[in-house]
Amino acid sequence: MSGQVGYNRCISATTGGFLMGHSKPGGCPSKEAPDGGWGWMVLIGCFVITGFSYAFPKAVSVYFKQLMHEFHIGYSDTAWISSIILAMLYGTGLGLALNFQPSLIMLGRYFDKKRPLANGLAAAGSPVFLSALSPFGQVLLDYYGWRGGFLIMGGLLLNCCTCGAVMRPLESLRQSSKDQPEAKEMLPTTKAEVTGLELENSQQVVTRNSTKDGSRKSGTNKKSQKLLDFSVFRSRDFVIYTISKFILVLGLFVPPIMIVNYAKDMGIPDTEAAFLLSIIGFIDIFARPLSGVVAGLDLVRPRVAYFFSFSMLCNGLTDVLSAKAATYSGLVAFCVFFGVTYGMVGALQFEVLMDIVGSQKFPSAIGLLLLIEAFAVLIGPPSAGHLVDAFNNYQLIFYMAGSELILSSVFLSGAFYLCLRQEQPKSSKGQQQVEELALGESDTVQDCTGDLCESLKEEGSLEQSLSGLPRDRSGTGADTGGTECSEQHRKTSL
């Protein structure tokens, strides 16, 4: 019975849940995510790292007016500061990226079933730190100037070193429990016990042989593993998501970077202008964990990509509808709605990516994705600054940012829907073949007696049999053709 359950899990992980399902892509993983334990410490570290990584580039916008007066520069010039910091985070693998990307990868290793909630809680670090760093930066500016403020805030970033110390590899945690020997207290005395012991020993031989085969395969995979696996671009889902994220990032960071300068140009005191970012951060604190909880619901998780599209649409509409806000109360209302929708987008973006590529390919996928997004970050905020310099009108940047988010939302949902309809006829046939193969292997396992599954030794395990399927879901190899849209995406519509 236990063999049947194990193989059912393997079939579930192989045929379902690739884009928006519960199972981890990549077949039956050798190391299961603990969904707790030391993972909560990793989550706390990821919370702090995410907070500094995303809040710092926005919080430094409180210094922009002082920089403009001291260096006689325009809005587009100061916008380059945040854009360069974010581009370093996204595209170079240096600076804040040395903290941010590894923390996301470790979070995906430690959480599977609770991953939407974990991503939501970790993403909440951004608004928490934004709420604190924005008014704190204004206080530093008043007392120490922009140079002293940058120096002190840079020193705070050193706390990320402590967070990096808790990022322990998952293998080392499991090694201690595996190395503990087990001894029998007495020898068998009856014939039944002898027979049972022989059966148990023979089962252990089969298990040991299969473990050795798996170890050889694992060793081969580790040797052939690349620093960046470009085979993720063979996935149509990943390409669609990458294009959508590029359009999204063009406008996503424009309002929080420009809102403080907008308020100061309206004559609002500096402290109240900086407080607008705190409002966004405070609302965002609750929006991200709640979005993670909603994304983990059985009804929503299979459709998490569409939930992400809905979040982008709401954020874009917030920008467009709030473009004509000309009073401080109007800006406060904008910050409240923007905080809700911005938090939804921030909580879901990496959850969708993990569901598309799986935990094994996630390190390469996020590296390549952030590299592409870096170009969008370098284009978006400076372009908004040029619009303000040229027309002296802040409404244009809200219209620009909102239209880009709406376009990204429509493209993502529309492309996934069209991909689903094109691949539906192929899905039923492929799934039927996998299920027939699974039933055949399950019968073989249940009938194993006597010589203990010599047929399994000769024919190979279910995982070996599945390796001949048209699509490779091992997490390390590339797709070999056939169906490009995810199986779970098709499953959703059936």
Side-chain angles (χ1 to χ4, degrees):
M1 186 62 183
S2 60
Q4 176 68 33
V5 173
Y7 281 164
N8 287 340
R9 289 178 179 173
C10 191
I11 285 294
S12 175
T14 306
T15 62
F18 185 60
L19 174 61
M20 296 175 248
H22 298 271
S23 302
K24 290 187 292 186
C28 292
S30 58
K31 304 178 185 65
E32 294 183 358
D35 278 314
W38 189 256
W40 297 117
M41 296 299 298
V42 175
L43 176 58
I44 293 174
C46 190
F47 175 88
V48 176
I49 291 173
T50 303
F52 277 117
S53 299
Y54 274 113
F56 185 81
K58 305 182 188 72
V60 297
S61 63
V62 300
Y63 302 109
F64 285 176
K65 291 295 287 187
Q66 186 70 24
L67 294 174
M68 292 172 63
H69 288 304
E70 184 164 341
F71 294 102
H72 306 289
I73 55 179
Y75 293 99
S76 60
D77 298 314
T78 54
W80 276 105
I81 299 175
S82 296
S83 294
I84 292 174
I85 295 175
L86 288 171
M88 291 287 290
L89 170 64
Y90 282 157
T92 65
L94 302 175
L96 293 173
L98 294 173
N99 297 325
F100 179 61
Q101 296 183 23
S103 67
L104 288 179
I105 295 171
M106 291 298 295
L107 193 67
R109 292 281 194 264
Y110 275 85
F111 290 92
D112 179 26
K113 294 180 181 179
K114 298 179 181 178
R115 194 180 64 206
L117 176 61
N119 278 326
L121 292 174
S126 174
V128 169
F129 279 72
L130 181 60
S131 300
L133 290 180
S134 179
F136 181 66
Q138 186 63 49
V139 172
L140 295 178
L141 178 62
D142 295 337
Y143 282 91
Y144 303 103
W146 67 269
R147 288 184 173 86
F150 270 118
L151 182 62
I152 295 174
M153 294 184 71
L156 292 176
L157 289 175
L158 292 175
N159 289 282
C160 293
C161 298
T162 304
C163 300
V166 305
M167 303 293 176
R168 299 169 57 184
L170 190 60
E171 292 82 355
S172 64
L173 296 179
R174 297 185 178 276
Q175 189 65 31
S176 58
S177 61
K178 289 182 180 180
D179 293 340
Q180 295 179 356
E182 295 181 359
K184 295 184 178 294
E185 296 182 356
M186 59 182 66
L187 294 175
T189 56
T190 64
K191 183 177 181 180
E193 291 178 348
V194 172
T195 305
L197 181 60
E198 290 176 353
L199 180 60
E200 180 181 355
N201 291 337
S202 57
Q203 288 175 343
Q204 291 177 354
V205 170
V206 175
T207 303
R208 194 178 302 113
N209 290 336
S210 61
T211 303
K212 290 180 180 178
D213 294 338
S215 300
R216 295 192 197 103
K217 292 181 179 179
S218 177
T220 304
N221 290 336
K222 289 181 179 178
K223 291 180 180 179
S224 61
Q225 188 175 9
K226 301 177 181 179
L227 182 62
L228 284 178
D229 187 2
F230 289 93
S231 66
V232 293
F233 285 108
R234 298 183 184 180
S235 168
R236 186 183 301 176
D237 297 326
F238 178 73
V239 173
I240 292 172
Y241 182 76
T242 302
I243 297 174
S244 175
K245 279 299 298 295
F246 181 87
I247 302 173
L248 167 71
V249 173
L250 286 174
L252 181 64
F253 300 115
V254 170
I257 290 176
M258 304 298 293
I259 189 68
V260 176
N261 278 353
Y262 183 25
K264 290 181 178 180
D265 284 349
M266 291 171 56
I268 298 173
D270 293 350
T271 304
E272 295 181 12
F275 185 68
L276 291 173
L277 285 179
S278 298
I279 296 175
I280 294 176
F282 180 77
I283 300 299
D284 200 355
I285 291 172
F286 301 98
R288 296 199 183 211
L290 289 177
S291 299
V293 172
V294 173
L297 298 177
D298 293 338
L299 182 63
V300 179
R301 192 169 187 186
R303 303 168 181 84
V304 67
Y306 295 108
F307 186 30
F308 181 56
S309 298
F310 174 75
S311 303
M312 292 190 293
L313 178 63
C314 292
N315 190 263
L317 292 176
T318 300
D319 293 343
V320 172
L321 296 177
S322 303
K324 293 186 177 181
T327 62
Y328 185 71
S329 59
L331 291 180
V332 170
F334 161 75
C335 290
V336 171
F337 286 100
F338 184 84
V340 173
T341 57
Y342 185 78
M344 295 169 64
V345 173
L348 298 173
Q349 55 179 342
F350 296 117
E351 171 63 24
V352 175
L353 178 62
M354 288 182 184
D355 277 344
I356 289 176
V357 300
S359 61
Q360 297 298 321
K361 289 189 176 182
F362 182 73
S364 295
I366 190 174
L368 294 171
L369 176 66
L370 294 181
L371 177 62
I372 295 173
E373 288 183 10
F375 294 99
V377 171
L378 289 174
I379 297 173
S383 299
H386 278 296
L387 287 177
V388 177
D389 290 335
F391 300 99
N392 196 24
N393 187 348
Y394 277 92
Q395 294 182 12
L396 296 178
I397 66 174
F398 286 94
Y399 287 129
M400 180 193 74
S403 61
E404 288 166 348
L405 269 86
I406 294 174
L407 176 61
S408 176
S409 171
V410 173
F411 174 79
L412 180 65
S413 58
F416 274 147
Y417 179 75
L418 293 177
C419 177
L420 168 66
R421 295 195 60 176
Q422 290 177 359
E423 299 296 338
Q424 263 186 350
K426 300 179 181 179
S427 63
S428 58
K429 182 178 179 180
Q431 186 173 2
Q432 183 179 2
Q433 292 177 349
V434 173
E435 289 176 352
E436 291 176 355
L437 178 60
L439 291 175
E441 286 288 344
S442 299
D443 293 340
T444 305
V445 173
Q446 292 177 350
D447 292 340
C448 280
T449 54
D451 293 335
L452 286 169
C453 310
E454 288 294 333
S455 60
L456 281 180
K457 294 182 182 179
E458 296 174 358
E459 299 297 328
S461 66
L462 178 60
E463 294 180 44
Q464 294 171 333
S465 301
L466 290 176
S467 63
L469 291 176
R471 180 163 185 152
D472 179 12
R473 299 189 184 274
S474 62
T476 56
D479 296 339
T480 56
T483 305
E484 293 183 351
C485 287
S486 61
E487 195 68 34
Q488 179 65 24
H489 199 165
R490 303 186 197 103
K491 184 178 177 182
T492 303
S493 65
L494 297 178

